[in-house]
């Protein structure tokens, strides 16, 4: 980053630097290292045409139901915020009348600010 | 010829739109070639203006129908009487976003939107939409802005409902036009109040004579809230997922660009129309206005990202993220507005307010690139699996390497991971907002983490897992145009991410200077 504004957040004295070409070079060096290293040390009995490529899920080779469904991801987080999401889902009910109401509410709130001399 | 660039930028897509029924007879390929050429010329014209407008800080006026279009006022008349186009660094910045987005989305749509050879509904509407957005970017006339807003709203609604054979698409189009009508009607109320008092639609002229009366503030309220609604700010955002999800992927990307243009218009009206007038009469309370924008921004960020996390429809998920990202822009610019006229001689504005605005405005550009890329990749996913439901997707990474790589680039960029462009603008926002209020900066960072989690969910669900060819309903390889659209956007994300200094110095900082320099 060499811009005037960006200079404000680049602080070499505390180690914040931005050298793009170095980033790209480091990326490619890592790619080469992993490629070479991988060929030498990773397992060499990998066979693409065997069952090795199939998912292993606690001994269950049922491919169709292998994946955790998208709707089940972050279940705990969603469960803990059930009340919040119930309210939010009510607001997003697809009814245009309700959508328009929010516009009126925001306009009314701003009117109060103008009326109160705050704006 | 170069004197007429401002009007050419608007009229080229407009004329091309009305020529579509004719070029449609020449065949599908030739028609697309003509449109791509026009969009390339359009981008060329916009970038031709960068040296003069952005780098040297010139403002170009174009008075429609005048003997000398470059003059703001005509001989013998002290105020502007015709429609005036104005190109300064900020409007050029908006125009460049529209230019790049329209080119890439049209390239993508050449391989994804099916249309009978003799019909040109999609291309006609697409070009009208482009003309509307370009007009909104460059006009200096309030009523003219309203006309372009209507053009973009009507063509946008028709494009949302384009796939009429689907159950919900026409209703989504209806929702879009109704919400747009509410917004444009209130915008027109605001314009009417200004015209009734000052007898002109010219933004610059109205600002120079503005009395900042109670009535002016009511006009400001109608105009700014209407723009916030069109931009999809919480709590007026509920229409966004409903409409973005039903539109073709390329149109979701265009709707997002439309939201960015209205957001830019909102910022422009805040400063250029309702900013301190040269007559010295009164002023609005920028601190309160800034806090209104900040509150809308924080609500948009938080509600957008949390609602995105529970979605299973990939397009609705991305639409909620569009709302969330709008929050970042509002937060950055809101902080700038809040300290803009603080009674400290501009010290806070210089210390971090301007940086916050640069971050917010830079985020508009970055968001236009990565959000559009993500919408386009969602189009590929929908095409492959025949559904938008993430539960019905798996293992796409085995088939579409390009889509997988560009999706990852877009997802990492939106989550603010270096060295992609989202990181640069978010860092500017975090740094500057932290100096204003640490709590706001922490909320912004938390939202970034949630964004990453949300996109990891999409990546895991649709790209990872075993290859399942039995789920694929459309296995044809992507066309060259579709690939070109994706690659250009991915390249822009990487380049702006690696070299933000060039973009910030060349385009963003001049745009913020033009915006805050009240004339």
């Amino acid at each position: 980053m060499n811009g005037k504004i960006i200079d404000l957040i680049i602080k070499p004295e505390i180690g914040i630097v931005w050298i793009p070409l170095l980033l790209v070079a480091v990326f490619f060096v890592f790619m080469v290292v992993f490629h070479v290293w991988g060929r030498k040390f990773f397992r060499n009995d990998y066979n693409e045409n065997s069952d090795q490529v199939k998912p292993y899920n606690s001994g269950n080779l049922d491919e169709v139901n292998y994946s955790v469904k998208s709707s089940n991801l972050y279940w705990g987080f969603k469960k803990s915020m059930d009340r919040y999401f119930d309210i939010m889902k009510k607001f997003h009910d697809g009814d245009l009348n309700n959508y328009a109401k929010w516009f009126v509410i925001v306009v009314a709130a701003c009117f109060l600010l103008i009326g109160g001399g705050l704006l | 010829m170069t004197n007429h660039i401002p009007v050419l930028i608007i009229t080229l897509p407009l004329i091309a739109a009305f020529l579509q029924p004719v070029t449609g007879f020449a065949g599908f390929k030739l028609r697309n070639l003509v449109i791509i050429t026009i969009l390339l010329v359009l981008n060329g014209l916009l970038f031709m203006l960068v040296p003069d407008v952005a780098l040297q800080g010139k403002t170009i006026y174009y008075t429609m129908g005048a003997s000398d279009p470059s003059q703001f006022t005509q001989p013998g008349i002290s105020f502007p009487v015709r429609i005036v186009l104005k190109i300064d660094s900020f409007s050029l910045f908006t125009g460049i976003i529209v230019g790049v987005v329209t080119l890439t989305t049209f390239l993508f749509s050449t391989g994804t939107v099916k249309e009978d050879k003799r019909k040109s509904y999609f291309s006609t509407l697409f070009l009208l939409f482009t003309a509307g957005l370009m007009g909104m970017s460059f006009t200096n006339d309030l009523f003219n802005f309203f006309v372009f807003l209507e053009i973009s709203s009507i063509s946008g609604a028709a494009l949302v409902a384009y796939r009429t054979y689907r159950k919900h698409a026409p209703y989504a189009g209806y929702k879009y036009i109704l919400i747009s009508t509410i917004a444009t009607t209130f915008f027109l109320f605001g314009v009417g109040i200004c015209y009734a008092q000052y007898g002109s639609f010219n933004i610059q002229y109205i600002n120079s004579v503005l009395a900042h009366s109670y009535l002016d503030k009511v006009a400001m309220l109608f105009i700014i809230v209407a723009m916030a609604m069109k931009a999809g700010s919480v709590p007026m955002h509920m229409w966004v997922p409903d409409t973005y999800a039903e539109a073709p992927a390329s149109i979701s990307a265009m709707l997002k660009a439309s939201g960015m243009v209205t957001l830019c218009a909102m910022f422009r009206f805040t400063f250029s129309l309702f900013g301190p007038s040269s007559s010295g009469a009164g002023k609005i309370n920028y601190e309160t206005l800034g806090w209104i924008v900040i509150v809308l921004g924080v609500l948009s960020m938080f509600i957008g990202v949390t609602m995105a996390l529970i979605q299973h429809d990939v397009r609705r998920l991305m639409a909620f993220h569009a709302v969330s990202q709008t929050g970042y822009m509002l937060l950055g610019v809101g902080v700038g507005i809040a300290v803009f006229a603080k009674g400290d001689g501009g010290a806070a504005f210089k210390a971090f307010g301007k940086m916050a605005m640069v971050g917010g405005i830079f985020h508009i550009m970055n968001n236009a690139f990565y959000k559009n890329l993500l919408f386009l990749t969602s189009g590929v996913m929908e095409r492959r699996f025949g559904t938008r439901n993430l539960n019905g997707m798996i293992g796409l990474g085995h088939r579409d390497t390009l889509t997988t790589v560009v999706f990852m680039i877009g997802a990492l960029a939106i989550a603010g991971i270096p060295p992609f462009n989202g990181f640069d603008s978010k860092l500017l926002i975090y740094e500057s907002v932290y100096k204003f209020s640490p709590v706001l900066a922490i909320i912004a960072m938390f939202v970034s983490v949630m964004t990453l989690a949300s996109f990891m969910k999409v990546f895991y669900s649709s790209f990872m897992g075993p290859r399942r060819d039995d789920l694929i309903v459309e296995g044809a390889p992507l066309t060259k145009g579709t690939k070109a659209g994706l690659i250009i956007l991915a390249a822009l994300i990487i380049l702006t991410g690696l070299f933000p200094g060039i973009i910030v110095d060349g385009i963003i900082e001049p745009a913020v200077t033009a915006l805050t320099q009240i004339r």
Side-chain angles (χ1 to χ4, degrees):
Chain A
M1 295 190 188
N2 54 359
K4 290 166 201 161
I5 288 284
I6 287 170
D7 279 346
L8 294 172
I9 58 170
I10 298 301
K11 301 176 182 83
E13 65 277 11
I14 56 168
I16 303 175
V17 290
W18 187 263
I19 308 168
L21 294 178
L22 184 67
L23 278 171
V24 175
V26 166
F27 176 76
F28 280 108
V29 167
F30 269 100
M31 292 291 283
V32 171
V33 167
F34 276 110
H35 189 67
V36 173
W37 184 61
R39 290 217 162 184
K40 196 168 180 182
F41 295 105
F42 289 172
R43 289 179 62 168
N44 55 8
D45 59 346
Y46 173 73
N47 183 359
E48 200 176 353
N49 299 316
S50 71
D51 280 354
Q52 286 177 333
V53 295
K54 291 183 177 174
Y56 182 80
N57 192 15
S58 301
N60 181 10
L61 277 175
D62 179 5
E63 280 181 54
V64 176
N65 297 314
Y66 149 72
S67 182
V68 178
K69 294 286 179 195
S70 162
S71 48
N72 294 329
L73 289 172
Y74 308 130
W75 178 84
F77 178 81
K78 288 186 272 189
K79 188 72 183 166
S80 66
M81 292 176 71
D82 255 355
R83 287 180 66 188
Y84 165 78
F85 285 126
D86 285 346
I87 295 167
M88 279 299 137
K89 280 178 191 168
K90 274 182 196 166
F91 289 151
H92 298 82
D93 59 358
D95 187 344
L96 268 173
N97 292 319
N98 294 339
Y99 294 1
K101 273 177 202 164
W102 281 104
F103 178 80
V104 176
I105 290 169
V106 173
V107 170
C110 291
F111 260 122
L112 288 176
L113 288 174
I114 294 175
L118 292 169
L119 196 64
Chain B
M1 179 70 179
T2 51
N3 293 342
H4 298 288
I5 287 178
V7 74
L8 278 174
I9 288 169
I10 298 168
T11 49
L12 263 179
L14 201 60
I15 293 168
F18 291 112
L19 283 177
Q20 285 308 294
V22 180
T23 53
F25 278 103
F28 185 68
K29 282 188 177 174
L30 186 68
R31 185 187 64 196
N32 283 349
L33 194 67
V34 169
I35 297 172
I36 290 166
T37 309
I38 284 169
L39 293 176
L40 280 170
V41 170
L42 197 65
N43 277 280
L45 293 174
L46 287 163
F47 280 99
M48 274 172 68
L49 295 170
V50 170
D52 278 352
V53 177
L55 300 181
Q56 293 185 29
K58 283 185 188 169
T59 300
I60 298 172
Y61 293 103
Y62 190 92
T63 306
M64 309 283 268
S67 53
D68 182 4
S70 63
Q71 295 303 312
F72 182 62
T73 50
Q74 300 308 304
I77 307 173
S78 61
F79 55 90
V81 289
R82 290 186 166 102
I83 292 172
V84 181
L85 304 177
K86 179 184 174 185
I87 300 187
D88 61 9
S89 302
F90 189 72
S91 55
L92 183 61
F93 159 79
T94 319
I96 286 173
I97 289 177
V98 176
V100 173
V101 169
T102 46
L103 178 63
T104 49
T105 48
F106 189 77
L107 280 170
F108 179 86
S109 64
T110 54
T112 53
V113 176
K114 296 279 180 285
E115 195 165 36
D116 186 86
K117 282 182 185 177
R118 297 296 171 108
K119 290 178 182 170
S120 302
Y121 300 149
F122 181 82
S123 47
T124 305
L125 291 166
F126 188 92
L127 287 165
L128 276 175
F129 200 11
T130 307
L133 297 183
M134 282 295 178
M136 284 161 66
S137 303
F138 293 119
T139 188
N140 197 28
D141 183 284
L142 281 175
F143 193 79
N144 199 225
F145 183 93
F146 166 76
V147 171
F148 284 122
L149 188 63
E150 286 283 275
I151 290 173
S152 71
S153 298
I154 294 166
S155 51
L159 284 167
V160 168
Y162 180 71
R163 296 186 290 190
T164 46
Y165 51 87
R166 292 191 171 216
K167 190 179 171 188
H168 298 295
Y171 185 52
Y174 168 70
K175 268 187 187 175
Y176 184 75
I177 196 66
L178 199 71
I179 289 292
S180 299
T181 305
I182 294 169
T184 50
T185 305
F186 274 85
F187 178 82
L188 197 59
F189 281 157
V191 173
I193 292 171
C194 290
Y195 184 74
Q197 292 187 96
Y198 306 109
S200 174
F201 291 119
N202 190 285
I203 293 172
Q204 206 163 322
Y205 174 76
I206 294 173
N207 176 254
S208 67
V209 294
L210 199 71
H212 287 285
S213 62
Y214 181 81
L215 214 48
D216 292 333
K217 287 177 183 173
V218 172
M220 180 183 76
L221 167 65
F222 285 155
I223 289 176
I224 287 179
V225 178
M227 291 294 101
M229 187 175 187
K230 278 286 282 177
S233 162
V234 170
M236 301 166 287
H237 68 288
M238 284 97 165
W239 61 274
V240 172
D242 294 357
T243 51
Y244 283 33
E246 294 301 328
S250 50
I251 297 311
S252 301
M254 284 295 285
L255 292 175
K256 179 66 193 160
S258 159
M260 297 298 94
V261 172
T262 45
L263 199 64
C264 288
M266 177 181 150
F267 298 149
R268 174 173 283 285
F269 294 139
T270 304
F271 287 100
S272 304
L273 179 59
F274 296 107
S277 62
S278 50
S279 66
K283 62 174 183 178
I284 51 174
N285 187 333
Y286 270 95
E287 194 165 357
T288 309
L289 185 63
W291 271 107
I292 292 172
V293 176
I294 290 168
V295 169
L296 291 179
V298 172
L299 286 174
S300 302
M301 281 195 300
F302 188 79
I303 293 176
V305 81
T306 48
M307 286 303 290
L309 208 63
I310 60 167
Q311 301 302 317
H312 317 139
D313 179 325
V314 66
R315 201 71 66 70
R316 277 184 76 84
L317 182 146
M318 290 189 181
F320 274 112
H321 276 294
V323 173
S324 172
Q325 295 300 305
T326 304
Y328 278 96
M329 301 154 206
L330 290 170
L331 175 64
V333 177
V335 167
I337 294 173
V339 298
F340 177 67
K342 215 174 178 184
D344 58 357
F349 187 72
K350 280 178 194 158
F352 60 87
K354 190 172 182 183
M355 194 206 281
M357 286 191 76
V358 168
I361 301 292
F362 191 23
H363 202 67
I364 293 178
M365 175 179 261
N366 292 339
N367 182 59
F369 295 159
Y370 61 64
K371 197 72 225 168
N372 287 351
L373 180 62
L374 289 167
F375 272 126
L376 299 187
T377 52
S378 76
V380 178
M381 288 150 71
E382 184 186 354
R383 194 166 168 236
R384 289 280 181 254
F385 292 104
T387 177
R388 297 194 308 261
N389 191 339
L390 286 167
N391 288 334
M393 300 181 185
I394 193 167
L396 191 60
H398 293 285
R399 295 183 60 92
D400 283 336
T401 312
L402 175 72
T403 313
T404 311
V405 171
V406 296
F407 178 85
M408 276 191 77
I409 292 172
L412 293 172
I414 196 172
I417 305 292
F420 302 104
N421 61 0
F423 165 74
D424 304 314
S425 48
K426 282 189 178 179
L427 185 64
L428 282 168
I429 293 171
Y430 297 155
E431 282 271 344
S432 49
V433 171
Y434 187 83
K435 289 173 186 167
F436 179 73
S437 165
V439 175
L440 295 176
I442 290 165
I443 293 171
M445 287 177 207
F446 174 70
V447 169
S448 257
V449 175
M450 300 265 282
T451 307
L452 184 64
S454 183
F455 275 94
M456 286 305 104
K457 172 176 133 176
V458 179
F459 189 74
Y460 168 82
S461 304
S462 50
F463 291 97
M464 293 180 77
R467 181 174 179 140
R468 291 285 306 276
D469 286 342
D470 57 310
L471 293 178
I472 302 294
V473 295
E474 169 70 66
L478 302 179
T479 62
K480 285 178 185 169
T482 304
K483 285 180 182 173
L486 296 173
I487 291 169
I488 292 171
L489 285 169
L492 285 170
I493 290 169
I494 294 171
L495 288 174
T496 47
L498 285 173
F499 304 101
I502 297 169
I503 306 293
V504 169
D505 282 352
I507 299 174
I508 311 297
E509 208 268 337
V512 172
T513 306
L515 187 65
T516 53
Q517 187 184 334
I518 310 296
R519 281 164 295 180

